[in-house]
Amino acid sequence: MRGSRLGAVALVTVCALVSAAGSAVAAPPSAVPDGTALQAALDRVTATGAIGAVAEVRRGDAVWRGSSGKSRLHGRQPAPIDGRFRAGSVTKTFTATVVLQLVGEGRLRLSDTAEWWLPGLVPALGGDRITVRDLLQHASGLPEYTDGLLDGDAPYDRFRTWTTGELVRRAVKDGNRDRPLLFPPGTDHHYSNTDYIVLGMIVEKITGRSYRTEIDQRIIRPLGLRNTRLPGSSPFITGPHAHGYEPVRKADGTLVPVDYTTVNMSVAGAAGEVISTTADLDRFFRTLLSGGLLHPAELREMTADTSGGGWGLGLEIATLPCGTIVGHGGGTPGYRTISFHTLDGARQITVDWTDWGTEADAGPAALALMTAALCPS
């Protein structure tokens, strides 16, 4: 359920690493990815803390897919190259795409308030001024509903089914008292899963159908994303997949790995429940960025960082020496994902890894892999 502020924070690190190297330049989009170098970079992800990792790199029509490590902590089976995984906050880009499609259809405006569509939902002072744009860009000031629900990324009650109303109430109420906004809407930015739970509710109010149905009918089915789904309250990952683990502290203080592959992700909803593959996510972003899902006006809105803080509308944005990249990242129990792309979708990478360790951190190696894929020397 973490976003990538793996994207927003760690991309600063990526920029620094690439700038320090001083040699990253854009390669022709059709250049064949160097599979040997990419595999070596992916192997460093598993060498620095991940149990298993999978990646897809695309440059134009040329594609490289790889896997490294194991599918289980104490197993021997390799991580499946086509494995499904929980992509966490990458879900936000799916939700934002549906919202912007509704804008393009004239059924919704970015300046509409949440109060207009969902009267009384946010009772705090200033809550009636939160706009759809604020929600998409994490500028609403809404507190994070996940506070107190998670131990790291792991839900304390892993099999409970949550309703959207229950989740939002956690953000806007403290017992019977209204929780104040973190700041007046539109004046600052604070990454909040609550924003996207509210957006999912707005989609349902406008269409009369769940956000899951809208994402399925508008994106997953038309694009043929056969290995992508929003599982709702189902706790299972179907098809080939690696197992994800979370550290749990025993009574004696030691940390032990607990398999969290099976978990009810209704706790993440429109903010982070999607299950997908590297190939499906690259296809989704390639179609989105090439204009296959949104009208030009809405796509420009989505990919513009008008805040200067690295946020588009449902996208994270960063500038590398080889150009601007956009995408999203996510963290869920046991799984970490980054999916970033050039603005035209010509160069792409999606990588997911399952990590375990109290000190090891595979994140920097995954970011180095991303840099190598998008800004080849």
Side-chain angles (χ1 to χ4, degrees), residues 54 67 70-71 77-84 240-242:
V54 292
S67 71
K70 302 175 294 184
S71 63
Q77 186 175 357
I81 199 168
D82 59 346
R84 283 72 158 165
H241 61 275

Side-chain angles (χ1 to χ4, degrees), residues 122 124-127 129-131 134-135 137-144 171-172 179-192 194-195:
V122 183
L125 181 66
R129 299 198 301 273
I130 295 171
T131 67
D134 292 335
L135 294 167
Q137 205 169 44
H138 296 294
S140 70
L142 282 169
E144 177 59 75
V172 302
R179 291 184 68 184
L181 298 180
L182 302 177
F183 48 81
T187 65
D188 203 348
H189 290 81
H190 174 77
Y191 188 91
S192 177
T194 311
D195 292 342

Side-chain angles (χ1 to χ4, degrees), residues 278-293:
T278 58
D280 274 9
L281 290 183
D282 276 353
R283 178 181 292 185
F284 163 60
F285 278 103
R286 186 165 63 255
T287 306
L288 173 64
L289 295 170
S290 62
L293 289 170

Side-chain angles (χ1 to χ4, degrees), residues 39-355:
Q39 184 64 54
L42 186 62
D43 288 340
R44 283 192 288 274
V45 176
T46 53
T48 55
I51 301 166
V54 292
E56 178 181 277
V57 173
R58 281 187 172 271
R59 297 184 191 145
D61 294 330
V63 60
W64 173 86
R65 295 188 184 96
S67 71
S68 182
K70 302 175 294 184
S71 63
R72 292 176 182 262
L73 180 59
H74 299 298
R76 295 184 178 181
Q77 186 175 357
I81 199 168
D82 59 346
R84 283 72 158 165
F85 50 82
R86 300 190 190 278
S89 287
V90 180
T91 309
K92 291 180 174 68
T93 308
F94 285 80
T95 300
T97 299
V98 170
V99 169
L100 289 168
Q101 286 179 340
L102 293 172
V103 171
E105 294 165 9
R107 303 169 71 181
L108 177 67
R109 295 177 297 181
L110 291 173
S111 59
D112 283 353
T113 62
E115 176 71 15
W116 171 262
W117 290 104
L118 304 167
L121 183 70
V122 183
L125 181 66
D128 59 341
R129 299 198 301 273
I130 295 171
T131 67
V132 171
R133 182 186 292 276
D134 292 335
L135 294 167
L136 286 166
Q137 205 169 44
H138 296 294
S140 70
L142 282 169
E144 177 59 75
Y145 75 86
T146 62
D147 293 345
L149 280 184
L150 308 176
D151 180 8
D153 283 325
Y156 287 113
D157 191 346
R158 66 188 288 183
F159 294 116
R160 173 172 172 171
T161 295
W162 292 87
T163 68
T164 54
E166 288 173 326
L167 296 176
V168 173
R169 181 177 173 80
R170 291 186 55 86
V172 302
K173 289 286 188 180
D174 182 5
N176 292 322
R177 295 183 300 174
D178 298 340
R179 291 184 68 184
L181 298 180
L182 302 177
F183 48 81
T187 65
D188 203 348
H189 290 81
H190 174 77
Y191 188 91
S192 177
N193 288 289
T194 311
D195 292 342
Y196 277 76
I197 299 298
V198 175
L199 286 168
M201 296 173 75
I202 291 174
V203 168
E204 292 179 1
K205 184 64 176 290
I206 293 171
T207 65
R209 303 196 299 179
S210 73
Y211 68 84
R212 295 185 184 97
T213 298
E214 291 298 315
I215 290 174
D216 184 66
Q217 296 297 317
R218 291 169 175 268
I219 300 174
I220 294 174
R221 289 181 183 272
L223 271 58
L225 307 182
R226 295 181 178 85
N227 299 316
T228 299
R229 67 189 187 97
L230 287 88
S233 60
S234 172
F236 304 109
I237 301 177
T238 57
H241 61 275
H243 283 236
Y245 300 83
E246 286 291 316
V248 174
R249 193 172 300 277
K250 296 174 64 177
D252 63 2
T254 59
L255 289 173
V256 296
V258 174
D259 192 324
Y260 258 85
T261 310
T262 303
V263 59
N264 184 334
M265 288 303 290
S266 63
V267 70
E273 71 169 273
V274 78
I275 293 171
S276 193
T277 62
T278 58
D280 274 9
L281 290 183
D282 276 353
R283 178 181 292 185
F284 163 60
F285 278 103
R286 186 165 63 255
T287 306
L288 173 64
L289 295 170
S290 62
L293 289 170
L294 295 175
H295 295 142
E298 283 70 53
L299 184 57
R300 284 194 299 271
E301 290 275 12
M302 188 181 214
T303 56
D305 178 12
T306 57
S307 70
W311 290 114
L313 304 184
L315 288 174
E316 298 177 74
I317 302 173
T319 301
L320 300 182
C322 61
T324 299
I325 62 171
V326 296
H328 218 293
T332 66
Y335 299 89
R336 310 288 178 259
T337 306
I338 49 178
S339 187
F340 281 87
H341 320 268
T342 54
L343 274 172
D344 59 1
R347 278 174 283 142
Q348 302 185 270
I349 180 170
T350 297
V351 56
D352 179 84
W353 67 100
T354 55
D355 57 7

